[in-house]
Structure formats: structure tokens, C-alpha cells
Amino acid sequence: MKKAILITILSLFTLGIFSQTLDTIIYNGDSDEHINVVILGDAYTSANHAANKLNTDATNFVNALLNESPYSEYADFYNFFIIKRNSVQSGTDHPGIATDVIEPLSPVQTRNTYYQTTFDVDSIHRLLAPMGTGITNAYTDLANVFPNYDQIIMLVNDTEYGGSGGTIATSSVNASANEIAIHEMGHSYADLADEYYAGDQFAGERANMTANNNPATVKWKDWLNILGIGIYQHTCSSGNCSSWYKPHNNCKMQFLGSDFCSVCKEAIIDKMYSLADPFENKIPNLTSLFSFNGNCTTFGSNLILTNPNTYTIEWELNGNIIPSRTEETEVWKYEDFDFGTNVLKLQILDETSLSKSYLPDDGYFFELSWVVNKVDLCSKTVDKFDYVNSFPSGSSAGQTTADDFDWTEWVGSTPTSNTGPSSAYDGTTYLYTEACCSNIPNKKAIYFTDCFDLTRVNNPKMSLAIHMLGKDIGKLEIAVSDAGGNTNSYTVLQTFTGEIGPDWKEFEWDLSPFVSPYTKFQFTVTTGSGIEGDIAIDYLRVFSGCASSLTLNQTHTGVNTYEAQSTITSTSNVLSGSTIYRAGSSVNLNGGFNVNAGATFITQQGGCN
Ligand SMILES: [Zn+2]
């Protein structure tokens, strides 16, 4: 919609090629994402500019505009800039040729101004507008310093009352100037008609003017009998005003100092939303497929807010509204998505009471979407607990080629003296990394496990027996992923550096921060510089730790034991296999609890010690 060529132009401008200058009055954000109102000043001399008179006049206008509903509610959507251009003289032309007053109503004068504004346009005394090459000058200045403007205002440094609402909304700096400029911007910006009868040549269908007086079909029928909105016939001393109707009898499009009527407010908001939407950005800013990376990613947008806030925010994933997600940015986890292609949408509905255009639900509705790809990295998922792996033959789930050498399955002592265990910690086999030959120095060996569905384990823990003996021992890193080992998804649980001692030692980690259906472990050795640096692991266990009380809501397959020091409360459905509840005092089986045919269910007292 908008082009970001402003920066190029500004840099030309700072080289002094142009003799106009650009100042910022209010900046709410990126000009591509906001509505840019550019104010040109005519009849401001170099002395006026030296005194910042245009800055002052423009600031007064902007403050008045942003105090006026519906600009006040949507102020953050607008940027305001001024272009300062010297005129030879202040004040502007009063030719004294109007036919709607007895001329000369004010002293006849001719002024040398850059945009060549004049009163008495179309023989109407108060009609003030730039003329001839002055209009060309205005568009040349805009093209040179701010080509991506959305609305132009021209403030004319003359105190006579007047203005006009053409493409360039024009206003003098009369005491009523702010009201004139806001009214004229109603014409230029929102294409509103005057709600007084300005003459047959100005009559036509507009948001706030119609020849249709049928309450069932009039364009503002949704507003009828609300806040003074009706179907009011225009009145005039001459012309065809009786054919035309307006929505209100006291609108700013009729009387300066009045508010905009509801129909005009809605037209202004409609215009705004035709130029901008509430999204200030897109996070991440991708139009192509997003390959899920890491455990979690923030999706969303910074919003241009309304005051008061009238937005409803919804998130939709694969066609389903997610009621728990109501923020403009939300963190989404790997497990939130399905494998394969997902469509994630952020949807904003502005339900402002100032408009009925959003009704029924497709008016002020805005949407961002992302296509998210989730790759299944779990070749196998363990869902039976407690799980024990003593690394017997053939159990190596995860050697990888993304390292320098492999872990070795071994029985008895490792080949080098003064390093490595003499036997397994459990059973006869274990895994170790041989610190020798091409495996040193500073070489990596990575082993990763199967995935574990930790949603099936209460208070899950992992333990591992580790053997690190020898003067050249390097480093062992224990890491966990709750995203199936997805890129960048590992969190380091612990890093062991140097010797632990002559014996195996068992370590235990709490997995409750990493519960997902795709929890996976990775063990990474980095060798030291010498051969006395064998590192061994054995007896990997993933199991349920003990809780004081348990509330279980999942179904069970396989063999499960749940232990609690006091109470186990469950609405679980025991589908198959065998499930044991061991509670210290009581087991409460709530509504919905079923033991299916073929399943074994046992409760025991004694619980967790
Ligand atoms: Zn109105």
C-alpha cells in the first residue's frame, strides 16, 4: 500500500538540494504502518519560520484534531509532519471578488506566497485554496520530501476566516482555524459532505448525504434513532436542497465547535482502516514456511492500540480457536503443533461502539497468518515407565554423524590403564568414549536417546550412572529437549568437567520443566588432550519421582506405577496393561474412572517413601 522511499528522499534533503524542510510534529511509528498527515505552510516568511510559527500553528491543529472523536480514540494510528517552505510575504490574497458577500468585506490585498493561496475561490468569500502553479509547487515539495503522505493539510498564515476541502484540505489561522481545518479534513480525508446545504454543485451521495429517505434502506439505517441520528431534509434559500438528506442536525460537518455525528465518525474510521491495520509488525516476519526451531517461538504482532481498547484478540491453529490465547504475542511450543504443515492465525476484531461497520463480524477484522512446519524427530517414543536402559547390545538409539566419533558399547575394562571403569554399573554392558588416537584432543561424541512421553509420568525424573576417571578426562554434558531434539531445543541439565573419582556415581535430575510428549536426552563428550580420559555411562532411568499427592487425568497403557505420600486422586481411564496406585493414605477414584476389559488395576497403601 505504501512505499518506503522516505529515507532516500530525506538523505537528499539533508544534502541541501531542496529549500524546504521537514519537521516531525508527532511520530507514532513506521510510516509504512501508520497514516501520515503532512501539513504544508503557505504565507510563512523566513522570519515566521525562524520563530517556529508553523510548528506552533500545526501543533495547535494536531492537538485539537487528536482531541476530536474519532481521532482521539485512534490517535496512535497517525503521524504528523510539517513541510516548512519560505514565502516572500505573510498573509494571502483577498481579491474582493466574492458574490456571496458585499465586497470588499476585508481589505483587498495581493501577496507573494509560495503555494499561491487565495480567498474568494469560486466567488465564495471564505473559500481559501492554493491555485495554479502553487498547487504544482505543493505536490513537488511533497514528492521531494514526503511522497508517501496519506493526507495533506495546508495552513495559510492569514487571520481571515476561511478554508476549503479539496484534495489539499486548507485552513487559515483564524481563531477558529483548528475547527475549520478539522472540518475541511472531514471533506478531504473521509470524503464527507457538508451537513449545511453548500449548493447544488456540491450535492451528491456521500457517507453523510443521500437522496434516499427510506428508513429501511438509507445508508445509515443501522444508526437510526441512536445519538440523534435521523433522516433530516436539507434546507436552503435557493437550490434543490429538498431532494437531499443528512443524518444529524448538529454535526461538525455543519457547525464548527460541534462533534462529528455518529455517521461521520464511522466514515472517518472506515477511511482510517482502508489505509492502515492494527498490526505494527509481524513476528516472525515470514511469508514462507516457518520451520519450527527450538522448544518455543514467539508469534504475534505489536499492535497499534485504540483508546480505550476495543480489540478482541483470537488465535486460531489449524482452524480451531485456542481460547487460552488472548495476547497480541504468544509463545508457542513445539508440542502445540501437529506434525507436518500447520496454519497459525492471529485475528483482531475492533468492536468499537463508534462504528457499526464491523458488524456482523467481517468489518474491522484483521488477520496475520503463519505456515508452520513441524518435523517428527522421534524415531521411537517410550510411553512405559519406569524405563531402564543398561545399554545392552543393540540398544544404541542415537549415534549421530554430527560429531567426530561414536560412543562404544563395552564389557569389562576399557583398553587404557588409569581410566575407564572395570565393569558395567548395571548388567554387563555400558557405553563409553575411547580417549585415544583420532578421538583426541577436543573431539566430540554425541549420543541421543529415544523420545519419552513424559505426559504419562507423574513428577518425572531421569537418572544416569557416570564414570569419569583419569588425568586427561574432558567434559560430559547432559542435555534435555522437550521438542524431540529439534534444532536449538536442548537445555543443558549439567556439565561434568574432569574426574569424578574411581567409582561409578549415579546422578538424578528433575524433569518437571521439560514435560512434553517428545522429551529427549543428549549426552555429549568432549575429549581432553591425553589418552587417560575415557568417559562411561550406564543405567539410564526415566521414572516417576514421589509427590506428596497426585492428581491424575491421563489414560494409561503399558505398565505404570504411581506413588504418593498421601493421596492419589484420579479420573483416569485405565485402557490396557497394568496400573498400580500406591498412596500413603487414600486413593480417590472420581467420576469417569474406568478399568477396561483386559486391564489390571491395583491400589495399595504404603505409598511413596
Ligand atoms: Zn455528520
PDB file of all heavy atoms in Angstrom, residues 295-327:
ATOM      1  N   ASN A 295      12.563 -25.017  21.279  1.00  0.00           N
ATOM      2  CA  ASN A 295      11.443 -25.513  22.069  1.00  0.00           C
ATOM      3  C   ASN A 295      10.199 -24.681  21.846  1.00  0.00           C
ATOM      4  O   ASN A 295       9.098 -25.172  21.891  1.00  0.00           O
ATOM      5  CB  ASN A 295      11.751 -25.439  23.567  1.00  0.00           C
ATOM      6  CG  ASN A 295      13.078 -26.026  23.910  1.00  0.00           C
ATOM      7  OD1 ASN A 295      14.079 -25.696  23.292  1.00  0.00           O
ATOM      8  ND2 ASN A 295      13.084 -26.906  24.887  1.00  0.00           N
ATOM      9  N   CYS A 296      10.416 -23.379  21.672  1.00  0.00           N
ATOM     10  CA  CYS A 296       9.284 -22.478  21.620  1.00  0.00           C
ATOM     11  C   CYS A 296       9.648 -21.246  20.818  1.00  0.00           C
ATOM     12  O   CYS A 296      10.819 -20.891  20.697  1.00  0.00           O
ATOM     13  CB  CYS A 296       8.830 -22.078  23.018  1.00  0.00           C
ATOM     14  SG  CYS A 296      10.144 -21.385  24.018  1.00  0.00           S
ATOM     15  N   THR A 297       8.633 -20.610  20.267  1.00  0.00           N
ATOM     16  CA  THR A 297       8.836 -19.417  19.446  1.00  0.00           C
ATOM     17  C   THR A 297       7.699 -18.455  19.734  1.00  0.00           C
ATOM     18  O   THR A 297       6.561 -18.871  19.898  1.00  0.00           O
ATOM     19  CB  THR A 297       8.838 -19.781  17.947  1.00  0.00           C
ATOM     20  OG1 THR A 297       9.923 -20.655  17.689  1.00  0.00           O
ATOM     21  CG2 THR A 297       8.987 -18.545  17.078  1.00  0.00           C
ATOM     22  N   THR A 298       8.034 -17.174  19.807  1.00  0.00           N
ATOM     23  CA  THR A 298       7.000 -16.160  19.974  1.00  0.00           C
ATOM     24  C   THR A 298       6.445 -15.789  18.608  1.00  0.00           C
ATOM     25  O   THR A 298       7.193 -15.446  17.694  1.00  0.00           O
ATOM     26  CB  THR A 298       7.580 -14.911  20.651  1.00  0.00           C
ATOM     27  OG1 THR A 298       8.053 -15.279  21.947  1.00  0.00           O
ATOM     28  CG2 THR A 298       6.534 -13.819  20.792  1.00  0.00           C
ATOM     29  N   PHE A 299       5.136 -15.873  18.481  1.00  0.00           N
ATOM     30  CA  PHE A 299       4.448 -15.400  17.281  1.00  0.00           C
ATOM     31  C   PHE A 299       3.559 -14.226  17.683  1.00  0.00           C
ATOM     32  O   PHE A 299       3.095 -14.153  18.821  1.00  0.00           O
ATOM     33  CB  PHE A 299       3.561 -16.500  16.686  1.00  0.00           C
ATOM     34  CG  PHE A 299       4.320 -17.631  16.047  1.00  0.00           C
ATOM     35  CD1 PHE A 299       4.742 -18.710  16.798  1.00  0.00           C
ATOM     36  CD2 PHE A 299       4.598 -17.608  14.684  1.00  0.00           C
ATOM     37  CE1 PHE A 299       5.432 -19.765  16.206  1.00  0.00           C
ATOM     38  CE2 PHE A 299       5.288 -18.658  14.085  1.00  0.00           C
ATOM     39  CZ  PHE A 299       5.705 -19.729  14.840  1.00  0.00           C
ATOM     40  N   GLY A 300       3.306 -13.332  16.739  1.00  0.00           N
ATOM     41  CA  GLY A 300       2.367 -12.250  17.025  1.00  0.00           C
ATOM     42  C   GLY A 300       2.731 -10.958  16.354  1.00  0.00           C
ATOM     43  O   GLY A 300       3.410 -10.933  15.324  1.00  0.00           O
ATOM     44  N   SER A 301       2.270  -9.870  16.967  1.00  0.00           N
ATOM     45  CA  SER A 301       2.482  -8.542  16.401  1.00  0.00           C
ATOM     46  C   SER A 301       2.386  -7.528  17.525  1.00  0.00           C
ATOM     47  O   SER A 301       1.612  -7.711  18.468  1.00  0.00           O
ATOM     48  CB  SER A 301       1.400  -8.242  15.362  1.00  0.00           C
ATOM     49  OG  SER A 301       1.482  -6.896  14.943  1.00  0.00           O
ATOM     50  N   ASN A 302       3.165  -6.471  17.419  1.00  0.00           N
ATOM     51  CA  ASN A 302       2.897  -5.307  18.260  1.00  0.00           C
ATOM     52  C   ASN A 302       1.716  -4.581  17.619  1.00  0.00           C
ATOM     53  O   ASN A 302       1.706  -4.373  16.411  1.00  0.00           O
ATOM     54  CB  ASN A 302       4.112  -4.392  18.330  1.00  0.00           C
ATOM     55  CG  ASN A 302       5.284  -5.087  18.995  1.00  0.00           C
ATOM     56  OD1 ASN A 302       6.260  -5.417  18.335  1.00  0.00           O
ATOM     57  ND2 ASN A 302       5.167  -5.351  20.269  1.00  0.00           N
ATOM     58  N   LEU A 303       0.736  -4.234  18.430  1.00  0.00           N
ATOM     59  CA  LEU A 303      -0.484  -3.637  17.889  1.00  0.00           C
ATOM     60  C   LEU A 303      -0.479  -2.128  18.046  1.00  0.00           C
ATOM     61  O   LEU A 303       0.056  -1.603  19.023  1.00  0.00           O
ATOM     62  CB  LEU A 303      -1.710  -4.206  18.604  1.00  0.00           C
ATOM     63  CG  LEU A 303      -1.935  -5.708  18.479  1.00  0.00           C
ATOM     64  CD1 LEU A 303      -3.220  -6.098  19.200  1.00  0.00           C
ATOM     65  CD2 LEU A 303      -1.995  -6.136  17.022  1.00  0.00           C
ATOM     66  N   ILE A 304      -1.063  -1.456  17.063  1.00  0.00           N
ATOM     67  CA  ILE A 304      -1.377  -0.039  17.230  1.00  0.00           C
ATOM     68  C   ILE A 304      -2.675  -0.009  18.021  1.00  0.00           C
ATOM     69  O   ILE A 304      -3.700  -0.524  17.576  1.00  0.00           O
ATOM     70  CB  ILE A 304      -1.555   0.651  15.864  1.00  0.00           C
ATOM     71  CG1 ILE A 304      -0.308   0.453  15.001  1.00  0.00           C
ATOM     72  CG2 ILE A 304      -1.869   2.126  16.076  1.00  0.00           C
ATOM     73  CD1 ILE A 304      -0.468   0.959  13.572  1.00  0.00           C
ATOM     74  N   LEU A 305      -2.623   0.546  19.228  1.00  0.00           N
ATOM     75  CA  LEU A 305      -3.746   0.389  20.149  1.00  0.00           C
ATOM     76  C   LEU A 305      -4.800   1.474  19.961  1.00  0.00           C
ATOM     77  O   LEU A 305      -4.511   2.581  19.513  1.00  0.00           O
ATOM     78  CB  LEU A 305      -3.228   0.409  21.587  1.00  0.00           C
ATOM     79  CG  LEU A 305      -2.325  -0.773  21.943  1.00  0.00           C
ATOM     80  CD1 LEU A 305      -1.769  -0.609  23.345  1.00  0.00           C
ATOM     81  CD2 LEU A 305      -3.072  -2.093  21.800  1.00  0.00           C
ATOM     82  N   THR A 306      -6.014   1.123  20.332  1.00  0.00           N
ATOM     83  CA  THR A 306      -7.090   2.101  20.386  1.00  0.00           C
ATOM     84  C   THR A 306      -7.263   2.526  21.839  1.00  0.00           C
ATOM     85  O   THR A 306      -6.884   1.805  22.754  1.00  0.00           O
ATOM     86  CB  THR A 306      -8.409   1.494  19.876  1.00  0.00           C
ATOM     87  OG1 THR A 306      -8.749   0.382  20.708  1.00  0.00           O
ATOM     88  CG2 THR A 306      -8.253   0.994  18.442  1.00  0.00           C
ATOM     89  N   ASN A 307      -7.825   3.704  22.042  1.00  0.00           N
ATOM     90  CA  ASN A 307      -8.010   4.209  23.405  1.00  0.00           C
ATOM     91  C   ASN A 307      -9.437   4.724  23.575  1.00  0.00           C
ATOM     92  O   ASN A 307      -9.775   5.742  23.014  1.00  0.00           O
ATOM     93  CB  ASN A 307      -7.015   5.342  23.688  1.00  0.00           C
ATOM     94  CG  ASN A 307      -7.150   5.871  25.099  1.00  0.00           C
ATOM     95  OD1 ASN A 307      -7.682   5.190  25.966  1.00  0.00           O
ATOM     96  ND2 ASN A 307      -6.725   7.101  25.320  1.00  0.00           N
ATOM     97  N   PRO A 308     -10.295   4.004  24.329  1.00  0.00           N
ATOM     98  CA  PRO A 308      -9.990   2.769  25.065  1.00  0.00           C
ATOM     99  C   PRO A 308      -9.817   1.579  24.122  1.00  0.00           C
ATOM    100  O   PRO A 308     -10.196   1.671  22.966  1.00  0.00           O
ATOM    101  CB  PRO A 308     -11.241   2.586  25.935  1.00  0.00           C
ATOM    102  CG  PRO A 308     -12.337   3.221  25.145  1.00  0.00           C
ATOM    103  CD  PRO A 308     -11.707   4.407  24.450  1.00  0.00           C
ATOM    104  N   ASN A 309      -9.276   0.510  24.672  1.00  0.00           N
ATOM    105  CA  ASN A 309      -9.018  -0.673  23.857  1.00  0.00           C
ATOM    106  C   ASN A 309     -10.331  -1.360  23.469  1.00  0.00           C
ATOM    107  O   ASN A 309     -11.108  -1.752  24.330  1.00  0.00           O
ATOM    108  CB  ASN A 309      -8.131  -1.647  24.640  1.00  0.00           C
ATOM    109  CG  ASN A 309      -7.831  -2.900  23.840  1.00  0.00           C
ATOM    110  OD1 ASN A 309      -8.001  -2.925  22.617  1.00  0.00           O
ATOM    111  ND2 ASN A 309      -7.390  -3.938  24.512  1.00  0.00           N
ATOM    112  N   THR A 310     -10.563  -1.475  22.170  1.00  0.00           N
ATOM    113  CA  THR A 310     -11.804  -2.099  21.688  1.00  0.00           C
ATOM    114  C   THR A 310     -11.514  -3.347  20.866  1.00  0.00           C
ATOM    115  O   THR A 310     -12.361  -3.812  20.110  1.00  0.00           O
ATOM    116  CB  THR A 310     -12.611  -1.087  20.843  1.00  0.00           C
ATOM    117  OG1 THR A 310     -11.729  -0.445  19.898  1.00  0.00           O
ATOM    118  CG2 THR A 310     -13.241  -0.038  21.711  1.00  0.00           C
ATOM    119  N   TYR A 311     -10.292  -3.872  21.022  1.00  0.00           N
ATOM    120  CA  TYR A 311      -9.927  -5.066  20.254  1.00  0.00           C
ATOM    121  C   TYR A 311     -10.322  -6.349  20.970  1.00  0.00           C
ATOM    122  O   TYR A 311     -10.195  -6.460  22.187  1.00  0.00           O
ATOM    123  CB  TYR A 311      -8.400  -5.146  20.044  1.00  0.00           C
ATOM    124  CG  TYR A 311      -7.797  -4.083  19.170  1.00  0.00           C
ATOM    125  CD1 TYR A 311      -6.477  -3.685  19.370  1.00  0.00           C
ATOM    126  CD2 TYR A 311      -8.516  -3.490  18.134  1.00  0.00           C
ATOM    127  CE1 TYR A 311      -5.891  -2.719  18.563  1.00  0.00           C
ATOM    128  CE2 TYR A 311      -7.938  -2.527  17.333  1.00  0.00           C
ATOM    129  CZ  TYR A 311      -6.622  -2.140  17.547  1.00  0.00           C
ATOM    130  OH  TYR A 311      -6.049  -1.200  16.762  1.00  0.00           O
ATOM    131  N   THR A 312     -10.747  -7.317  20.188  1.00  0.00           N
ATOM    132  CA  THR A 312     -10.815  -8.703  20.650  1.00  0.00           C
ATOM    133  C   THR A 312      -9.733  -9.468  19.904  1.00  0.00           C
ATOM    134  O   THR A 312      -9.628  -9.355  18.676  1.00  0.00           O
ATOM    135  CB  THR A 312     -12.189  -9.322  20.330  1.00  0.00           C
ATOM    136  OG1 THR A 312     -13.174  -8.572  21.008  1.00  0.00           O
ATOM    137  CG2 THR A 312     -12.244 -10.769  20.793  1.00  0.00           C
ATOM    138  N   ILE A 313      -8.914 -10.195  20.657  1.00  0.00           N
ATOM    139  CA  ILE A 313      -7.791 -10.915  20.054  1.00  0.00           C
ATOM    140  C   ILE A 313      -8.085 -12.410  20.113  1.00  0.00           C
ATOM    141  O   ILE A 313      -8.442 -12.937  21.166  1.00  0.00           O
ATOM    142  CB  ILE A 313      -6.481 -10.610  20.816  1.00  0.00           C
ATOM    143  CG1 ILE A 313      -6.168  -9.114  20.728  1.00  0.00           C
ATOM    144  CG2 ILE A 313      -5.325 -11.449  20.268  1.00  0.00           C
ATOM    145  CD1 ILE A 313      -4.957  -8.692  21.550  1.00  0.00           C
ATOM    146  N   GLU A 314      -7.945 -13.071  18.977  1.00  0.00           N
ATOM    147  CA  GLU A 314      -8.094 -14.530  18.955  1.00  0.00           C
ATOM    148  C   GLU A 314      -6.954 -15.160  18.184  1.00  0.00           C
ATOM    149  O   GLU A 314      -6.436 -14.574  17.231  1.00  0.00           O
ATOM    150  CB  GLU A 314      -9.421 -14.929  18.291  1.00  0.00           C
ATOM    151  CG  GLU A 314     -10.604 -14.787  19.215  1.00  0.00           C
ATOM    152  CD  GLU A 314     -11.878 -15.377  18.629  1.00  0.00           C
ATOM    153  OE1 GLU A 314     -12.008 -15.454  17.390  1.00  0.00           O
ATOM    154  OE2 GLU A 314     -12.744 -15.738  19.416  1.00  0.00           O
ATOM    155  N   TRP A 315      -6.581 -16.355  18.628  1.00  0.00           N
ATOM    156  CA  TRP A 315      -5.596 -17.172  17.922  1.00  0.00           C
ATOM    157  C   TRP A 315      -6.286 -18.413  17.396  1.00  0.00           C
ATOM    158  O   TRP A 315      -7.072 -19.036  18.113  1.00  0.00           O
ATOM    159  CB  TRP A 315      -4.455 -17.576  18.861  1.00  0.00           C
ATOM    160  CG  TRP A 315      -3.501 -16.460  19.150  1.00  0.00           C
ATOM    161  CD1 TRP A 315      -3.614 -15.532  20.134  1.00  0.00           C
ATOM    162  CD2 TRP A 315      -2.293 -16.161  18.447  1.00  0.00           C
ATOM    163  NE1 TRP A 315      -2.539 -14.662  20.092  1.00  0.00           N
ATOM    164  CE2 TRP A 315      -1.715 -15.037  19.065  1.00  0.00           C
ATOM    165  CE3 TRP A 315      -1.631 -16.750  17.356  1.00  0.00           C
ATOM    166  CZ2 TRP A 315      -0.518 -14.481  18.630  1.00  0.00           C
ATOM    167  CZ3 TRP A 315      -0.450 -16.191  16.923  1.00  0.00           C
ATOM    168  CH2 TRP A 315       0.095 -15.066  17.557  1.00  0.00           C
ATOM    169  N   GLU A 316      -5.963 -18.739  16.154  1.00  0.00           N
ATOM    170  CA  GLU A 316      -6.544 -19.922  15.537  1.00  0.00           C
ATOM    171  C   GLU A 316      -5.414 -20.812  15.041  1.00  0.00           C
ATOM    172  O   GLU A 316      -4.499 -20.339  14.369  1.00  0.00           O
ATOM    173  CB  GLU A 316      -7.435 -19.489  14.360  1.00  0.00           C
ATOM    174  CG  GLU A 316      -8.243 -20.606  13.751  1.00  0.00           C
ATOM    175  CD  GLU A 316      -8.954 -20.149  12.485  1.00  0.00           C
ATOM    176  OE1 GLU A 316      -9.947 -19.405  12.591  1.00  0.00           O
ATOM    177  OE2 GLU A 316      -8.491 -20.540  11.392  1.00  0.00           O
ATOM    178  N   LEU A 317      -5.479 -22.093  15.411  1.00  0.00           N
ATOM    179  CA  LEU A 317      -4.477 -23.055  14.941  1.00  0.00           C
ATOM    180  C   LEU A 317      -5.194 -24.167  14.197  1.00  0.00           C
ATOM    181  O   LEU A 317      -6.062 -24.834  14.768  1.00  0.00           O
ATOM    182  CB  LEU A 317      -3.682 -23.619  16.126  1.00  0.00           C
ATOM    183  CG  LEU A 317      -2.638 -24.679  15.779  1.00  0.00           C
ATOM    184  CD1 LEU A 317      -1.578 -24.137  14.823  1.00  0.00           C
ATOM    185  CD2 LEU A 317      -1.980 -25.225  17.040  1.00  0.00           C
ATOM    186  N   ASN A 318      -4.844 -24.316  12.948  1.00  0.00           N
ATOM    187  CA  ASN A 318      -5.435 -25.355  12.087  1.00  0.00           C
ATOM    188  C   ASN A 318      -6.961 -25.332  12.157  1.00  0.00           C
ATOM    189  O   ASN A 318      -7.611 -26.370  12.245  1.00  0.00           O
ATOM    190  CB  ASN A 318      -4.880 -26.735  12.468  1.00  0.00           C
ATOM    191  CG  ASN A 318      -3.386 -26.814  12.229  1.00  0.00           C
ATOM    192  OD1 ASN A 318      -2.856 -26.165  11.328  1.00  0.00           O
ATOM    193  ND2 ASN A 318      -2.687 -27.587  13.050  1.00  0.00           N
ATOM    194  N   GLY A 319      -7.512 -24.121  12.146  1.00  0.00           N
ATOM    195  CA  GLY A 319      -8.958 -23.959  12.090  1.00  0.00           C
ATOM    196  C   GLY A 319      -9.663 -23.957  13.427  1.00  0.00           C
ATOM    197  O   GLY A 319     -10.873 -23.735  13.489  1.00  0.00           O
ATOM    198  N   ASN A 320      -8.926 -24.174  14.518  1.00  0.00           N
ATOM    199  CA  ASN A 320      -9.542 -24.189  15.845  1.00  0.00           C
ATOM    200  C   ASN A 320      -9.126 -22.964  16.645  1.00  0.00           C
ATOM    201  O   ASN A 320      -7.937 -22.680  16.764  1.00  0.00           O
ATOM    202  CB  ASN A 320      -9.115 -25.444  16.616  1.00  0.00           C
ATOM    203  CG  ASN A 320      -9.515 -26.712  15.892  1.00  0.00           C
ATOM    204  OD1 ASN A 320     -10.658 -26.835  15.441  1.00  0.00           O
ATOM    205  ND2 ASN A 320      -8.575 -27.628  15.740  1.00  0.00           N
ATOM    206  N   ILE A 321     -10.109 -22.257  17.193  1.00  0.00           N
ATOM    207  CA  ILE A 321      -9.810 -21.142  18.093  1.00  0.00           C
ATOM    208  C   ILE A 321      -9.211 -21.718  19.380  1.00  0.00           C
ATOM    209  O   ILE A 321      -9.720 -22.698  19.926  1.00  0.00           O
ATOM    210  CB  ILE A 321     -11.094 -20.349  18.428  1.00  0.00           C
ATOM    211  CG1 ILE A 321     -11.712 -19.787  17.142  1.00  0.00           C
ATOM    212  CG2 ILE A 321     -10.803 -19.238  19.432  1.00  0.00           C
ATOM    213  CD1 ILE A 321     -10.904 -18.707  16.478  1.00  0.00           C
ATOM    214  N   ILE A 322      -8.124 -21.095  19.856  1.00  0.00           N
ATOM    215  CA  ILE A 322      -7.492 -21.536  21.097  1.00  0.00           C
ATOM    216  C   ILE A 322      -7.877 -20.529  22.191  1.00  0.00           C
ATOM    217  O   ILE A 322      -7.302 -19.447  22.274  1.00  0.00           O
ATOM    218  CB  ILE A 322      -5.960 -21.596  20.949  1.00  0.00           C
ATOM    219  CG1 ILE A 322      -5.552 -22.333  19.662  1.00  0.00           C
ATOM    220  CG2 ILE A 322      -5.341 -22.237  22.188  1.00  0.00           C
ATOM    221  CD1 ILE A 322      -5.954 -23.787  19.600  1.00  0.00           C
ATOM    222  N   PRO A 323      -8.869 -20.852  23.024  1.00  0.00           N
ATOM    223  CA  PRO A 323      -9.420 -19.851  23.955  1.00  0.00           C
ATOM    224  C   PRO A 323      -8.405 -19.329  24.968  1.00  0.00           C
ATOM    225  O   PRO A 323      -8.547 -18.215  25.458  1.00  0.00           O
ATOM    226  CB  PRO A 323     -10.546 -20.609  24.667  1.00  0.00           C
ATOM    227  CG  PRO A 323     -10.832 -21.805  23.817  1.00  0.00           C
ATOM    228  CD  PRO A 323      -9.556 -22.150  23.122  1.00  0.00           C
ATOM    229  N   SER A 324      -7.392 -20.136  25.286  1.00  0.00           N
ATOM    230  CA  SER A 324      -6.437 -19.699  26.305  1.00  0.00           C
ATOM    231  C   SER A 324      -5.463 -18.659  25.766  1.00  0.00           C
ATOM    232  O   SER A 324      -4.720 -18.052  26.536  1.00  0.00           O
ATOM    233  CB  SER A 324      -5.656 -20.912  26.819  1.00  0.00           C
ATOM    234  OG  SER A 324      -4.978 -21.536  25.738  1.00  0.00           O
ATOM    235  N   ARG A 325      -5.474 -18.423  24.472  1.00  0.00           N
ATOM    236  CA  ARG A 325      -4.530 -17.477  23.861  1.00  0.00           C
ATOM    237  C   ARG A 325      -5.253 -16.174  23.542  1.00  0.00           C
ATOM    238  O   ARG A 325      -6.100 -16.141  22.656  1.00  0.00           O
ATOM    239  CB  ARG A 325      -3.966 -18.053  22.563  1.00  0.00           C
ATOM    240  CG  ARG A 325      -3.366 -19.449  22.719  1.00  0.00           C
ATOM    241  CD  ARG A 325      -1.998 -19.371  23.307  1.00  0.00           C
ATOM    242  NE  ARG A 325      -1.283 -20.628  23.152  1.00  0.00           N
ATOM    243  CZ  ARG A 325       0.034 -20.731  23.334  1.00  0.00           C
ATOM    244  NH1 ARG A 325       0.761 -19.666  23.652  1.00  0.00           N
ATOM    245  NH2 ARG A 325       0.628 -21.887  23.192  1.00  0.00           N
ATOM    246  N   THR A 326      -4.918 -15.102  24.265  1.00  0.00           N
ATOM    247  CA  THR A 326      -5.630 -13.836  24.066  1.00  0.00           C
ATOM    248  C   THR A 326      -4.700 -12.640  23.981  1.00  0.00           C
ATOM    249  O   THR A 326      -5.160 -11.504  23.958  1.00  0.00           O
ATOM    250  CB  THR A 326      -6.623 -13.584  25.217  1.00  0.00           C
ATOM    251  OG1 THR A 326      -5.897 -13.611  26.448  1.00  0.00           O
ATOM    252  CG2 THR A 326      -7.721 -14.633  25.256  1.00  0.00           C
ATOM    253  N   GLU A 327      -3.382 -12.885  23.937  1.00  0.00           N
ATOM    254  CA  GLU A 327      -2.448 -11.767  23.874  1.00  0.00           C
ATOM    255  C   GLU A 327      -2.024 -11.523  22.421  1.00  0.00           C
ATOM    256  O   GLU A 327      -2.092 -12.409  21.586  1.00  0.00           O
ATOM    257  CB  GLU A 327      -1.206 -12.063  24.716  1.00  0.00           C
ATOM    258  CG  GLU A 327      -1.496 -12.270  26.194  1.00  0.00           C
ATOM    259  CD  GLU A 327      -2.036 -11.039  26.869  1.00  0.00           C
ATOM    260  OE1 GLU A 327      -1.581  -9.919  26.532  1.00  0.00           O
ATOM    261  OE2 GLU A 327      -2.933 -11.175  27.716  1.00  0.00           O
TER     262      GLU A 327
END
